[in-house]
Amino acid sequence: MKKYALVVGHTPTKDKGAYSDNLQISEFDYNLKVAQAIQAMYPEMFDIYTHTAQDYYQRQKGLAFKLNLKDYDAVFELHFNAASAIANGTECCYYFASKKGLAIAQAISLAVMIEYNTRLRGDQGAKPLVNKNDRGYWFTYLPKAPAIIIESFFGSNNLESEKFRDINRYAKTLFNAIKNL
C-alpha cells in the first residue's frame, strides 16, 4: 500500500497564512479541514503533519527530519494562494530536479483543473522551485520523497474561491488524484 504525508501549510498560531474574505477562513484552518477529510477517506494511507516553529527554514528542517523517518511515496503541503482580487489559477510547486515531482505536480493540477475549471499556471500546472530563495523551496528539497506544494486556488479571488467552498468535494478531488498516482 502506498503511504502519503499531508502537511498543513503555515502554523496554527501566528502564521496562519493568507485569509480568504470570501470563505471567511485562514489558509491553515481551511487546509487542516481538507487534510482531515482526506485522511478520513483512507486513514492507513495518510499521515497529517502541522508546523509549530515560526522560522521558515527551521520549520522545514524539523519537518523533513520527521518525514524522512518514514518511507512516504510522496508528501504534499496544502496551501491556497492570495494576491489581487483577479489573480487565479491552479499550480503545484516541486523541486526542479525531481522528475517524479514534476509528474505528480502536473497530475494533481490537472485533476483540480478538470474538477473546478481553473486555469493551469506554469508548465501544465507545475512550477519548479530552483533555488533557496524561491518560496517553498526547502519543503520541496529537504524530504527524501517527492514533495509537492499544492496551491489549487486564490483565496483572494471571490469567484474562484467560491468553487472551493465545499471542503469535502475538494478533499475528494485531491484524494482521487493522489490515489491514482
Side-chain angles (χ1 to χ4, degrees):
M1 176 186 67
K2 292 191 175 188
K3 185 80 172 169
Y4 301 98
L6 301 172
V7 180
V8 180
H10 302 283
T11 67
T13 55
K14 294 178 185 175
D15 175 22
K16 293 185 88 147
Y19 186 82
S20 173
D21 288 331
N22 180 54
L23 299 177
Q24 293 291 293
I25 196 166
S26 72
E27 208 175 337
F28 178 87
D29 293 335
Y30 179 88
N31 286 306
L32 178 60
K33 291 178 181 184
V34 171
Q36 290 168 337
I38 293 170
Q39 186 185 46
M41 292 178 214
Y42 201 149
E44 300 82 24
M45 187 182 282
F46 296 97
D47 292 331
I48 297 175
Y49 293 85
T50 59
H51 298 292
T52 53
Q54 296 300 319
D55 175 74
Y56 175 73
Y57 178 71
Q58 292 306 318
R59 176 190 313 172
Q60 298 303 337
K61 192 172 171 186
L63 174 67
F65 178 79
K66 291 179 205 171
L67 293 171
N68 290 340
L69 292 174
K70 297 193 177 183
D71 195 23
Y72 289 112
D73 291 282
V75 297
F76 301 95
E77 190 168 68
L78 305 176
H79 287 269
F80 61 71
N81 268 320
S84 73
I86 60 170
N88 65 81
T90 298
E91 69 184 0
C92 290
C93 303
Y94 68 99
Y95 179 61
F96 78 99
S98 174
K99 290 180 181 173
K100 283 185 180 178
L102 169 61
I104 293 168
Q106 289 175 333
I108 299 292
S109 290
L110 181 63
V112 171
M113 186 264 309
I114 289 169
E115 179 68 23
Y116 290 96
N117 193 30
T118 58
R119 177 178 71 89
L120 292 180
R121 298 169 60 87
D123 177 14
Q124 299 176 48
K127 178 181 176 183
L129 301 182
V130 178
N131 70 62
K132 65 181 181 178
N133 295 319
D134 290 338
R135 289 185 71 185
Y137 174 84
W138 293 112
F139 175 79
T140 63
Y141 175 75
L142 293 171
K144 64 183 179 185
I148 310 301
I149 298 171
I150 301 174
E151 304 247 21
S152 293
F153 66 97
F154 278 79
S156 55
N157 180 320
N158 290 348
L159 292 173
E160 186 169 78
S161 63
E162 188 60 35
K163 295 176 183 180
F164 292 82
R165 182 172 295 283
D166 183 341
I167 287 173
N168 290 320
R169 176 182 171 206
Y170 177 49
K172 187 170 182 162
T173 300
L174 292 181
F175 172 79
N176 286 330
I178 293 167
K179 172 182 81 163
N180 291 321
L181 291 174

